[in-house]
Amino acid sequence: KAPITTPLGGGYKSLNVTIRKSLGLFANVRPCVSYHPHVPSAHPNMDMVIVRENEEDLYAGIEHRQTDEVYQCLKLITQPGSERVIRYAFEYAKANGRKKVTCFSKNNIMKLTDGVFEETFQEVAKEYPDI
């Protein structure tokens, strides 16, 4: 990724998000592995991959000012977008010999948006009984 920055508090839409959407880069894949003992680590056995949705949620970039003191950002979650990134995570796990896929959400607070993500995760997970 080149040094593309978005001005804080104004200016133009994020170039990174625009590129992601244009190219359909919906999954942000982040391997996290420890190189212990060659590199000292508090987590010497860490070996995980984080797959994060990259286009929806707050990345939709829809926000507005309600009053002089109140600002609002819309969190957009779709069932098809959720299924796409969740299925990607399971297919990644399958292709790379991973044993588990875990869903992180705030569905205890955001019952509708994160709720549909969690429900979709549970449905897709049924198709991958070995993971």
Side-chain angles (χ1 to χ4, degrees), residues 11-125:
Y12 48 88
K13 186 175 181 179
S14 167
L15 292 176
N16 287 323
V17 174
T18 301
I19 290 169
R20 289 177 200 154
K21 288 185 177 187
S22 298
L23 298 176
L25 304 175
F26 61 91
N28 183 335
V29 181
R30 297 285 177 107
C32 303
V33 64
S34 172
Y35 292 108
H36 182 79
H38 307 292
V39 178
S41 173
H43 307 283
N45 298 319
M46 182 170 56
D47 181 9
M48 68 177 170
V49 178
I50 297 171
V51 178
R52 187 179 58 135
E53 209 294 322
N54 221 15
E55 293 179 350
E56 294 190 343
D57 202 334
L58 300 177
Y59 289 109
I62 302 170
E63 57 182 358
H64 62 274
R65 185 177 192 165
Q66 290 184 318
T67 70
D68 288 343
E69 297 177 336
V70 177
Y71 300 82
Q72 182 178 42
C73 182
L74 298 179
K75 174 184 177 85
L76 295 179
I77 302 289
T78 67
Q79 193 281 329
S82 297
E83 182 173 345
R84 183 171 63 164
V85 73
I86 291 164
R87 192 168 300 284
Y88 181 92
F90 275 98
E91 287 296 324
Y92 182 96
K94 185 172 147 184
N96 292 280
R98 296 287 173 164
K99 299 175 186 174
K100 183 174 14 175
V101 175
T102 303
C103 179
F104 288 91
S105 71
K106 292 291 292 176
N107 65 334
N108 61 325
I109 302 298
M110 292 169 270
K111 301 193 185 315
L112 296 176
T113 54
D114 283 22
V116 75
F117 189 87
E118 178 74 32
E119 290 167 13
T120 303
F121 178 87
Q122 297 302 331
E123 287 301 311
V124 171

